[in-house]
Amino acid sequence: PKTWRAELQRRNWDALGLERDGGTMRGHLAFLDALRGRIPAAVDRITAEDRNLLDVSWTMAVSALFREESRGAHYRTDFPSTDDVRFRGHTRVEGNNTGLQPIEAPLPASIST
């Protein structure tokens, strides 16, 4: 487990770190799918943690690939601009479906609490 965990951490950083691109993320998803076949089903705490690491990595990769824009500290080399028209909202992943969850507009700065 230590070997694949270290590789997973390195690949997560390479594919999902601050600078990203679609091709690298698609390759990372292929790696994750192959890794899923090598990790046993969760039968104890260690294997449950292994599966959780894999599931979180997969969800991060799917979300990052879906969001074809640069936002905050994450920069897409293939989509360098922020795109509020297409991506204003929270990314939501349910099974194999990825989409946006609407967010409310922020309050104007003139309103005090």
Side-chain angles (χ1 to χ4, degrees):
K2 289 183 180 179
T3 302
W4 74 258
R5 281 189 184 188
E7 183 176 2
L8 178 63
Q9 289 173 328
R10 182 186 60 76
R11 287 179 177 241
N12 277 340
W13 178 254
D14 290 346
L16 305 173
L18 299 179
E19 188 173 285
R20 308 166 170 180
D21 70 82
T24 303
M25 288 186 284
R26 281 187 288 280
H28 188 54
L29 281 167
F31 163 75
L32 294 173
D33 288 340
L35 185 59
R36 187 174 302 281
R38 296 181 7 220
I39 297 177
V43 294
D44 57 21
R45 185 181 61 82
I46 300 271
T47 55
E49 288 176 359
D50 292 346
R51 283 297 197 177
N52 286 342
L53 287 170
L54 183 59
D55 289 343
V56 168
S57 296
W58 182 86
T59 303
M60 288 173 58
V62 167
S63 297
L65 186 60
F66 167 78
R67 191 172 281 276
E68 295 177 333
E69 65 165 355
S70 292
R71 183 172 294 270
H74 296 110
Y75 181 78
R76 288 279 303 257
T77 57
D78 48 354
F79 295 95
S81 299
T82 300
D83 188 348
D84 281 341
V85 172
R86 290 179 58 211
F87 294 105
R88 180 158 168 75
H90 298 292
T91 307
R92 183 175 179 162
V93 177
E94 289 187 57
N96 289 324
N97 299 316
T98 306
L100 288 178
Q101 180 71 33
I103 59 173
E104 288 113 30
L107 293 174
S110 62
I111 297 177
S112 61
T113 57

